[in-house]
């Protein structure tokens, strides 16, 4: 979602800001802009400074075209906007300026009381130019400005409710940025005689590795020399500088045409990284050091809730089933945005996992806070190191997928599922699971990266074969059904989500038996039905459901276990995946579904890595 970059130093800021914005493009946005503090006269700063604000609708490339190559100024802020309040127009793009155009503000998040603030400011004679909530900040800061930028921002934020990551430049203070965070991440980075600001450390990776994450309700004054952080209530704070992980630098496409394809093909490695040192064949168990739970504590847990959104929620569904099967621990997965507002009943022996690739999803953060407020223990299952969820949950594990840049999540899903399977094995061994069963499960799991690699070598890039045949059917469809049972119902949901978001093909997913309770009425002779039918205890039942849709003319695309010829015979297109124990099958059966979405999106000319209307990191609720 919206991105922020800032720079104060000795170099010309505009190229650095544009480069930072390019690195944030993967998060999803619809317009971009920057504000530079520039000398008023071409002869130098003798006549003082003003602001140059340039904004464009569309990609950063449009902004690059609009920014003069020799634009002066060594202090500036840049923004990518994902529209919330007000349409996608240049006027609504950030930065927003005050009436006299001496203060410029960029803002991520939502100002909840903006309507009343705006009405109040209008009564005082302020004329608004945009429809955004963010513009009120520029006018409020102007209202409170009496020469001290930090105090002006602090006073303005005191009357604001909502979430923000903001950065403000002042023409009167040409070597300073003031920034603050509340619910929307910000990180400052130290260079030599220069200081950087960003909403995502990716933007800083090529300039500095010495960073500090701001906490909620903190405000920072940024200068060339460094930064001063305080709380909004005035208390001074200092944070130790952290080293940015090296993996953040490797977010390049390499030889792949799209990040999504690259990330699909990275799964054997990302999965190995996730499993590394965590499955312990000697004991038949597993160890997730980040959870730091003794066997006695594990036995004391009465219920597990897994909270997440979108793909992460789907991984959570698999995790909840695995936890019940392997650990006989009552478990559920719930969409974080529902959980946070339904006033859930929580007791002190409940455990929650907050599952998130980005670690910045506003609804998941809200769910964590709700569970914590009610006395529940929450642990993170997160990909992005140092992200808000990772830091909000005192304990947790990283899934180690590495940077996931394509908006559609692929490798994070398989690593999330794997991390939850490892957790289920760990909990299982302290509860119900014997050493031999545990060892068999662990060894099966450790063998998945190799089976994935083999499958991707055969099908991942093939120009003919069942994936191509399936995509032919899918791209002509008015809509597509995805069916499965048990963990495969979660995989069906994930397959449908991928095809919707990347190829924009309407899809529905159902637990297979549910079809006959209504949705089967939609099936006609054109309808592709993707059925996920691994050779598990539900196979025969699901095949009966496949027969039901076949009898009504559906064109069946069947994902089945290698060697299951009887199942394959029921399909118009049959796609084998390697054998694995039932709970592990999602790691393999999701691969063809990821490729369906990628290839259908490609065939239909979609923007694969940045599908319309979507953002990689959903930082508003
Ligand atoms: C789908 C997708 C989204 C995310 C969801 C949660 O491909 O990427 O559905 O899974 O927005 O995001 P995280 O995992 O970052 O909390």
């Amino acid at each position: 979602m919206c991105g922020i970059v800032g720079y104060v130093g000795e170099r010309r800021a505009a190229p650095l800001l544009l480069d930072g914005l390019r690195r944030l493009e993967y998060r999803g946005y619809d317009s971009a802009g920057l504000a530079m503090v520039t000398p008023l006269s071409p002869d130098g700063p003798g006549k003082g400074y003003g602001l140059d604000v340039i904004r464009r609708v569309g990609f950063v490339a449009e902004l690059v075209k609009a920014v003069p190559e020799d634009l002066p100024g060594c202090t500036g802020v840049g923004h990518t906007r994902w529209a919330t309040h007000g349409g996608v127009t240049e006027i609504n793009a950030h930065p927003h300026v005050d009436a006299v155009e001496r203060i410029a503000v960029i803002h991520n998040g939502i100002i909840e009381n903006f309507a009343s603030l705006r009405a109040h400011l209008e009564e005082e004679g302020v004329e608004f130019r945009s429809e955004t909530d963010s513009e009120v900040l520029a006018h409020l800061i102007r209202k409170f400005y009496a020469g001290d930028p930090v105090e002006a921002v602090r006073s303005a934020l005191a009357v604001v409710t909502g979430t923000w990551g903001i950065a403000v430049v002042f023409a009167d203070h040409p070597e300073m940025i003031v920034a603050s965070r509340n619910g929307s991440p910000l990180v400052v980075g130290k260079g030599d005689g220069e200081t950087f600001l960003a909403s995502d450390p990716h933007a800083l990776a090529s300039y500095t590795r010495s960073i500090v994450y701001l906490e909620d309700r903190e405000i920072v004054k940024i200068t060339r020399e460094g930064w001063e952080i305080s709380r909004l209530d005035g208390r001074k704070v200092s944070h130790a500088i952290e080293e940015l992980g090296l993996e953040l630098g490797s977010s390049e496409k390499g030889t792949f045409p799209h990040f999504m394809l690259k990330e699909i093909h990275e799964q054997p490695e990302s999965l190995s990284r996730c499993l590394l040192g965590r499955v312990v064949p000697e004991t038949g168990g597993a160890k997730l050091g980040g959870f730091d739970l003794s066997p006695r504590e594990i036995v004391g847990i009465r219920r597990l809730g897994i909270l997440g959104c979108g793909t992460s929620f789907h991984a959570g569904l698999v995790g909840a089933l695995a936890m019940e099967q392997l650990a006989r621990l009552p478990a559920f997965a719930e969409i974080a945005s529902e959980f946070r507002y339904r006033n859930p009943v929580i007791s002190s022996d409940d455990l929650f996992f907050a599952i998130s690739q980005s670690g910045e999803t506003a609804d998941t953060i809200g769910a964590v806070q709700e569970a914590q407020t009610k006395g529940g223990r929450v642990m993170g299952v997160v990909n992005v190191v140092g992200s808000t969820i990772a830091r909000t949950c005192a304990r947790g594990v990283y899934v180690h997928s590495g940077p996931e840049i394509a908006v559609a999540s692929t490798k994070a899903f398989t690593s999330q599922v794997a991390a939850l399977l490892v957790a289920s094995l760990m909990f299982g061994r302290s509860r119900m699971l014997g050493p031999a069963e545990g060892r068999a499960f662990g060894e099966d799991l450790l063998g998945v990266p190799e089976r994935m690699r083999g499958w991707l070598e055969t099908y991942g890039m093939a120009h003919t074969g069942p994936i191509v045949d399936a995509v032919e059917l899918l791209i002509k469809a008015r809509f597509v059904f995805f069916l499965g049972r048990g963990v495969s119902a979660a995989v069906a949901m994930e397959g449908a989500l991928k095809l919707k978001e990347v190829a924009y093909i309407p899809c529905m997913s159902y637990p297979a038996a549910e079809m006959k309770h209504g949705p089967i009425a939609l099936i006609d002779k054109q309808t592709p039905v993707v059925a996920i039918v691994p050779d598990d205890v539900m196979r025969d039942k699901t095949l009966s459901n496949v027969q039901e849709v076949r009898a009504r003319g559906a064109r069946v695309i069947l994902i089945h276990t290698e060697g299951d010829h009887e199942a394959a015979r029921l399909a118009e297109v049959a796609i084998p995946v390697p054998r694995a124990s039932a709970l592990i099958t999602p790691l393999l059966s999701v691969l063809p579904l990821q490729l369906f979405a990628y290839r259908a999106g490609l065939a239909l000319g979609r923007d694969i890595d940045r599908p319309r209307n979507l953002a990689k990191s959903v930082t508003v609720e």
Side-chain angles (χ1 to χ4, degrees), residues 308-314 355-362 364 381 384 389 404 406-410 412 416 494 497-498 501-502 614-618:
C309 304
T311 289
S312 296
F313 165 66
H314 299 157
I355 184 159
S356 173
Q357 186 287 126
S358 62
E360 301 294 352
T361 302
T364 310
V381 179
V384 176
I389 294 174
E404 190 180 65
V407 164
S409 186
T410 53
Q416 289 170 331
E494 176 58 9
L497 175 62
K498 287 289 94 91
E501 66 179 333
V502 181
L614 294 178
K616 182 68 185 161
S617 181
V618 185

Side-chain angles (χ1 to χ4, degrees), residues 366-533:
V368 170
Q369 289 162 346
E370 179 63 13
Q372 287 175 335
T373 303
K374 289 196 154 70
R377 273 184 302 166
V378 192
M379 300 195 180
V381 179
V382 172
N383 188 36
V384 176
V385 175
S387 54
T388 304
I389 294 174
R391 286 177 299 116
T392 311
C393 301
R395 300 181 198 167
V397 294
Y398 286 115
V399 303
H400 297 310
S401 316
E404 190 180 65
I405 305 296
V407 164
S409 186
T410 53
K411 63 176 180 168
F413 174 77
T414 43
S415 291
Q416 289 170 331
V417 168
L420 294 173
L421 292 177
V422 173
S424 306
L425 179 58
M426 174 179 163
F427 284 28
R429 284 291 287 119
S430 293
R431 295 169 68 99
M432 300 294 179
L433 202 64
E437 297 153 281
R439 192 168 303 117
F441 187 83
E443 279 168 1
D444 198 8
L445 195 51
L446 288 176
V448 174
E450 232 9 78
R451 277 174 267 165
M452 256 185 180
R453 185 169 290 116
W455 191 91
L456 284 167
E457 274 166 18
T458 309
Y459 296 100
M461 295 292 202
H463 295 299
T464 55
I467 301 283
V468 177
D469 298 343
V471 170
E472 279 294 301
L473 286 182
L474 296 173
I475 58 176
K476 290 188 207 123
R478 273 188 304 125
F479 70 93
V480 180
F481 268 111
F482 284 75
L483 306 180
R485 288 176 181 239
V487 287
S488 297
V491 177
M493 291 170 80
E494 176 58 9
L497 175 62
K498 287 289 94 91
L499 197 60
K500 278 181 251 189
E501 66 179 333
V502 181
Y504 316 155
I505 298 174
C507 300
M508 286 178 161
S509 58
Y510 272 91
E514 190 64 14
M515 284 292 284
K516 57 187 171 300
H517 298 289
I520 202 164
L522 290 170
I523 301 271
D524 63 22
K525 292 195 176 6
Q526 308 303 322
T527 317
V529 173
V530 179
I532 298 112
V533 198

Side-chain angles (χ1 to χ4, degrees), residues 117-119 121-122 126-130 132-133 135-136 139:
L117 289 172
R118 181 174 174 141
L121 285 161
E122 280 173 337
V126 173
E127 280 181 28
F128 278 75
R129 304 173 181 98
S130 76
T132 65
D133 55 334
E135 192 185 341
V136 294
H139 299 300

Side-chain angles (χ1 to χ4, degrees), residues 163-424:
T163 56
W164 62 81
I166 61 164
V168 193
V169 285
F170 295 76
D172 295 354
H173 297 268
E175 292 180 6
M176 188 194 298
I177 299 172
V178 179
S180 173
R181 126 166 216 167
N182 188 42
S184 221
L186 280 181
V187 55
V188 279
K190 182 82 198 85
D192 190 9
E194 55 189 3
T195 310
F196 300 85
L197 170 76
S199 52
D200 176 333
H202 268 108
L204 306 185
S206 27
Y207 302 109
T208 177
R209 299 209 164 265
S210 305
I211 57 160
V212 156
Y213 292 93
L214 289 197
E215 299 291 343
D216 278 349
R217 304 202 69 79
E218 287 182 349
I219 183 166
V220 59
K221 176 169 118 181
I222 299 166
T223 59
R224 286 180 184 185
E225 290 73 38
W227 52 77
E228 276 169 38
I229 305 176
S230 56
R231 305 276 312 157
L232 282 176
D233 62 16
R235 277 177 294 146
K236 288 260 174 290
V237 284
S238 78
H239 296 301
I241 292 184
E242 297 179 34
E243 267 308 287
L244 190 57
L246 276 176
E247 62 171 13
L248 283 172
S250 66
S251 41
E252 306 295 336
K253 260 195 289 228
T255 54
F256 288 91
H258 297 98
F259 279 110
M260 184 178 178
L261 190 62
K262 173 186 173 239
E263 288 159 7
I264 290 172
H265 282 269
E266 273 175 358
Q267 290 177 103
E269 290 85 60
S270 54
L271 195 64
S272 302
R273 263 200 311 275
C274 177
L275 296 173
L276 189 72
R278 289 173 162 176
V279 176
V280 190
E282 300 76 49
T283 60
K287 191 168 165 27
L288 284 164
F291 284 161
D292 195 19
L293 284 168
S294 69
R296 187 179 287 267
E297 283 175 299
I298 292 174
V299 172
I301 300 165
R302 287 284 154 265
R303 190 176 66 140
L304 174 74
I306 306 178
L307 310 172
C309 304
T311 289
S312 296
F313 165 66
H314 299 157
L317 289 170
V318 177
L321 288 166
M323 210 40 108
E324 290 211 345
Q325 295 292 314
L326 296 180
R328 306 306 298 155
L329 172 63
F332 64 95
E334 187 167 346
I335 291 174
S337 55
E338 290 296 308
F339 177 87
R340 66 183 293 196
Y341 290 120
R342 75 170 165 85
N343 197 13
V345 178
I346 293 174
S347 68
S348 57
D349 46 16
D350 282 345
L351 178 67
F352 294 91
F353 290 163
I355 184 159
S356 173
Q357 186 287 126
S358 62
E360 301 294 352
T361 302
D363 282 316
T364 310
I365 295 170
V368 170
Q369 289 162 346
E370 179 63 13
Q372 287 175 335
T373 303
K374 289 196 154 70
R377 273 184 302 166
V378 192
M379 300 195 180
V381 179
V382 172
N383 188 36
V384 176
V385 175
S387 54
T388 304
I389 294 174
R391 286 177 299 116
T392 311
C393 301
R395 300 181 198 167
V397 294
Y398 286 115
V399 303
H400 297 310
S401 316
E404 190 180 65
I405 305 296
V407 164
S409 186
T410 53
K411 63 176 180 168
F413 174 77
T414 43
S415 291
Q416 289 170 331
V417 168
L420 294 173
L421 292 177
V422 173
S424 306

